């Protein structure tokens, strides 16, 4: 089985330590990630580079592959070094 091509793909260029928040497209339900290097992601809010242990459950996720998203929801991204992150969005099956 293979997945059909998406009609919505973003390429996000991250500078070292500079977070960005991306808004998912209005019909998006799933996002697939790929990147040129390590990055941290937080679905639903801003991502921050961990500088210490995060033990309260609020840590961002390192290098997710695929996640469910809410239409028009926020995806927070940040990286320790310059990196480009590909986000490929999919909606409900027709």
């Amino acid at each position: 089985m293979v997945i059909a091509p998406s009609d919505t793909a973003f390429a996000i260029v991250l500078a070292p330590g500079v977070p960005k928040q991306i808004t998912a497209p209005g019909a998006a339900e799933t996002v697939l990630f790929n990147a040129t290097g390590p990055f941290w992601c937080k679905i639903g809010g801003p991502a921050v580079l961990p500088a210490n242990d995060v033990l309260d459950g609020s840590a961002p996720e390192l290098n997710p592959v695929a996640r469910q998203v809410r239409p028009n929801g926020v995806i927070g991204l940040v990286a320790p070094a310059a990196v480009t992150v590909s986000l490929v969005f999919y909606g409900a099956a027709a």
Side-chain angles (χ1 to χ4, degrees), residues 4-89:
S6 170
D7 62 359
T8 306
F10 296 169
I12 308 301
V13 178
L14 297 175
V18 180
K20 287 189 179 180
Q21 290 191 70
I22 311 308
T23 301
E29 294 182 351
T30 303
V31 60
L32 303 181
F33 298 93
N34 207 339
T36 59
F39 70 99
W40 294 89
C41 177
K42 184 77 171 178
I43 302 297
V48 295
L49 285 175
N52 296 299
D53 294 344
V54 180
L55 303 175
D56 65 0
S58 67
E61 183 176 5
L62 180 64
N63 301 330
V65 175
R67 292 293 171 262
Q68 291 180 338
V69 294
R70 294 179 187 260
N72 300 309
V74 173
I75 302 168
L77 301 171
V78 68
V83 65
T84 302
V85 182
S86 167
L87 291 83
V88 181
F89 294 94

